[in-house]
Amino acid sequence: MKELVRLEGITKAYGDHVIIPPLSLSIHDGEFLTLLGPSGCGKTTLLRMLAGLDTPTKGKIILDGQDITNLPPYKRDVNMVFQNYALFPHMTAEENIGFGLRMKGVGKEEAAKRTQKLLKLIRLEDLRSRYPSQMSGGQQQRVALARAIVIRPQVLLMDEPTSALDPEMVGEVLEIMKELAQDGMTMVVVTHEMGFAREVGTKVLFMDGGNIVEENTPQEFFTNPQSPRLQEFLSKVL
């Protein structure tokens, strides 16, 4: 598997407050990387730097051989799904999904074809004309997922995509994510869904205090944690 993303000694600090000390990481093409860790450990900051929403204080972010450290979000082949859906309220499900294609200048016919395909994937063909206010949380998050992947980014980032959902809606969003993983999309997901991380992830990474404490295959990560800090964390959440 080829290396798709490389973080070279990236740090993030606000004045004297260091959120992420020097951190290096490789993400490979087709990998499903799950980020776990306590609140405030730097997981979301790491995602935001990958997405271009935050700039590292030091270090480099390389995507497919290109230095993207200072590129704005719209110039990166990366897309992000947030925990609060962030849909456009004045657009229908169909229009929300197709928005990124219009921004990239994709032709009308091709855009319509790709939007229909995504509506089918997220099983919302019947709700294509509904506005976000007319959809459940689970349906809105599925639309947000479709909007992120319709432009076929090289890397899909997700920040707690199920945390704002009712328990019965979590399953429908995780199901779509599982299908994307099976299709080989490269994904980095911050989640608190341990069962999902264990079942779907190809690699699980545990952060604490901005540092990567441990990374391993899901099997080894959950059944044979090495560091005392991870053992303590898992004992509280499993």
Side-chain angles (χ1 to χ4, degrees), residues 64-231:
D64 206 8
Q66 182 194 4
D67 185 345
I68 63 164
T69 314
N70 296 301
L71 279 187
Y74 67 91
K75 287 193 175 174
R76 299 181 181 213
D77 205 358
V78 174
N79 222 337
M80 185 158 168
V81 178
F82 301 88
Q83 52 185 302
N84 62 346
Y85 329 133
L87 297 177
F88 299 114
H90 59 290
M91 291 185 191
T92 63
E94 191 169 16
E95 289 165 345
N96 261 289
I97 294 169
F99 178 76
L101 296 174
R102 291 200 298 281
M103 291 295 99
K104 286 190 175 286
V106 175
K108 217 172 180 181
E109 209 171 298
E110 172 67 11
K113 200 165 80 178
R114 276 160 70 172
T115 303
Q116 298 320 312
K117 191 177 172 189
L118 265 296
L119 278 163
K120 194 172 180 183
L121 172 75
I122 61 171
R123 297 181 272 284
L124 287 180
E125 291 164 289
D126 296 346
L127 305 185
R128 68 181 70 217
S129 300
R130 287 204 185 170
Y131 292 93
S133 60
Q134 299 168 316
M135 292 185 278
S136 71
Q139 289 164 346
Q140 288 183 60
Q141 191 59 299
R142 277 147 63 192
V143 171
L145 255 175
R147 185 179 63 183
I149 61 175
V150 74
I151 60 169
R152 299 173 182 160
Q154 282 188 288
V155 184
L156 181 64
L157 310 171
M158 291 187 254
D159 187 16
E160 294 281 12
T162 58
S163 69
L165 300 177
D166 294 336
E168 69 267 24
M169 293 173 184
V170 169
E172 59 189 48
V173 173
L174 294 182
E175 198 55 42
I176 304 288
M177 289 165 63
K178 201 183 294 184
E179 287 174 31
L180 293 174
Q182 286 161 355
D183 281 348
M185 178 168 268
T186 306
M187 290 191 264
V188 183
V189 181
V190 169
T191 184
H192 60 279
E193 298 286 343
M194 298 296 149
F196 181 72
R198 178 183 260 164
E199 185 190 344
V200 183
T202 50
K203 186 159 73 178
V204 188
L205 194 146
F206 176 68
M207 288 182 72
D208 192 37
N211 293 296
I212 296 171
V213 177
E214 197 163 327
E215 60 180 288
N216 217 324
T217 62
Q219 175 66 17
E220 282 298 304
F221 184 93
F222 287 104
T223 59
N224 191 23
Q226 300 299 300
S227 66
R229 181 66 189 95
L230 177 56
Q231 291 165 5

